[in-house]
Amino acid sequence: MTATAISPLAGKHVVLGICGGIAAYKSVSLLRLLVKAGAEVQVVITPAGKEFITPVTLSALSQKPVVSEFFTANTGEWHSHVDLGLWADCMVIAPATASTIGKMAHGVADNMLVTTYLSAKSQVFVAPAMDLDMMAHPSTTANLALLRSYGNIIIEPDTGYLASGLTGRGRMEEPENIVKVLESWFAGRNDLAGRRVLITAGPTYEKIDPVRFIGNYSSGKMGYALAAECAARGAQVTLVSGPVALEAPAGVDIVKVESARQMLQACSEAFPAADIAIMCAAVADYAPAETADRKIKREHSEVPVIHLVKNPDIAATLGAAKKPGQILAGFALETDHEADNAAEKLSRKNLDLIVLNSLRDAGAGFGTDTNKVSIIDRAGRTDYPLKPKSEVAADIIDNIVSRL
Ligand code: PMT
């Protein structure tokens, strides 16, 4: 932002959550920058946070009493986390410690910060800060994944010198960059307002018998990240999801399906009203011709043969029904001849763009928190570096918005 430009944060109500970590010293700069950008900031600090930074500094800078406890001890005044949650245009938790991230992920509402988080109806940004081993611990990874699945935006930590004296990933993002993330979110958040978006995600399961199915490794993370991004940008989102272990992102209508045929049915119902459809699901191409109604037993004298039939191609079916003005995006998951295969699918399925990801790229495709994609359309190809799926989703939606 230049000195004269008005920040998109001007006039916004920001709840700044501060946890007990050494990076809390950076929260002072963050608060200063938010106030300078014109935001009205209410600081909520955990009891441990007050050990690292004094509330006097924070209330002087925010021009508001800092909230930390449910009650003010001497007056008995109650601080309503519900009112704060409703007041906020956004909440940013910086630094977010492993402990608070865990509490937020699992709804452990034992302090003012976490209760405010649980009451917040607005976008929540989380800027983790911790030592490298805590950052790399599977519980931290799993808890952050849960927060992402709730629609929270994780402002990824940097790699560098840490307060412990070690060097690694866990440094809280610099306050200037956190402000930039908030500004760009407020600047762009409404670019899908009034638009309806249909997204498919996850695998399909094609039943063999009551205990077995044909499926694949899709976790749903990419499709759910797209749904969260579209909802954050004001769209009305219908997410048709195969069986996954993720929570629906905030503000998204979810339709849970199992098989490709069920997915086609749900998509056919939602597509006519959609402005944008993004086919991110890994749909099984084949299904057993018949589903046994009892478990197929091992005692067969011969190995059973499962006859397969072709599943409907959902993307191609929507492509054939597409009306002018509708944008249809597909994905291509390839292992070889990537660009040629993607271009063939773009044309055969009548897509407007196709997002190519290759299983040959480390960190891309199934199950990972990251992806590396290229967006291909009839005009050419744009390559993107490996990024968290939330950021890949933002790139894809930016590309689609530019076509509206
Ligand atoms: O879920 P994650 O673990 O995060 O992994 C993300 C992902 C790898 C599943 C995702 O990024 C992805 O690539 N999704 C598409 C996977 C796929 O099935 O690709 P495909 O090349 O086989 O299919 C091409 C396109 O046609 C896709 O848009 C697919 O949704 C669609 N399709 C395919 C078959 C079918 N019968 N009907 C379809 O609509």
Side-chain angles (χ1 to χ4, degrees), residues 34-241:
L34 289 169
V35 170
K36 207 171 155 202
E40 200 179 324
V41 185
Q42 174 63 61
V43 175
V44 181
I45 190 164
T46 64
K50 288 191 284 186
E51 301 293 329
F52 287 88
I53 181 137
T54 161
V56 175
T57 308
L58 299 165
S59 61
L61 289 174
S62 64
Q63 307 266 297
K64 281 181 195 296
V66 168
V67 175
S68 182
E69 310 295 339
F70 293 109
F71 300 96
T72 304
N74 48 356
T75 63
E77 185 197 348
W78 180 56
H79 302 294
S80 168
H81 51 89
V82 178
D83 288 350
L84 259 185
L86 293 174
W87 174 83
D89 293 313
C90 82
M91 179 169 186
V92 54
I93 300 160
T97 55
S99 158
T100 293
I101 288 169
K103 288 180 186 181
M104 289 160 62
H106 298 283
V108 181
D110 67 351
N111 66 34
M112 190 67 192
L113 193 154
V114 181
T115 46
T116 304
Y117 163 73
L118 293 176
S119 305
K121 288 210 171 298
S122 57
Q123 183 64 54
V124 178
F125 299 85
V126 181
M130 63 196 79
D131 203 41
L132 74 166
D133 292 319
M134 295 174 79
M135 192 68 220
H137 195 279
S139 78
T140 308
T141 307
N143 287 333
L144 285 172
L146 274 175
L147 296 190
R148 279 192 199 92
S149 76
Y150 305 155
N152 303 162
I153 294 175
I154 311 300
I155 304 176
E156 298 290 338
D158 273 349
T159 296
Y161 183 71
L162 301 168
S164 60
L166 300 170
T167 299
R169 184 164 174 268
R171 276 166 66 102
M172 188 176 98
E173 183 56 275
E174 292 307 323
E176 292 76 9
N177 292 338
I178 294 177
V179 170
K180 275 188 201 151
V181 171
L182 300 192
E183 283 183 330
S184 70
W185 185 80
F186 275 110
R189 64 178 300 201
N190 283 322
D191 56 4
L192 284 177
R195 305 282 183 174
R196 286 170 189 254
V197 183
L198 164 65
I199 297 172
T200 65
T204 63
Y205 285 1
E206 313 297 333
K207 263 185 155 173
I208 298 170
D209 69 13
V211 297
R212 303 179 180 92
F213 59 85
I214 296 172
N216 58 66
Y217 295 114
S218 172
S219 64
K221 288 178 185 171
M222 189 67 249
Y224 277 56
L226 285 162
E229 177 69 18
C230 290
R233 292 163 78 149
Q236 190 178 327
V237 183
T238 302
L239 175 62
V240 179
S241 173

Side-chain angles (χ1 to χ4, degrees), residues 200-203 216-223 244 260 263 278-286 311-316 329-334 345 349 351 354-357 359 364-368 370-371 373 389:
T200 65
N216 58 66
Y217 295 114
S218 172
S219 64
K221 288 178 185 171
M222 189 67 249
V244 298
M263 189 172 273
I278 309 172
M279 304 285 100
C280 185
V283 183
D285 285 314
Y286 300 97
N311 264 336
D313 188 321
I314 301 166
F331 270 73
L333 178 64
E334 305 294 341
K345 286 172 185 170
K349 299 180 190 229
L351 307 172
I354 192 156
V355 182
L356 168 64
N357 41 190
L359 288 182
F366 285 136
T368 51
T370 51
N371 207 356
V373 303
K389 280 181 173 162

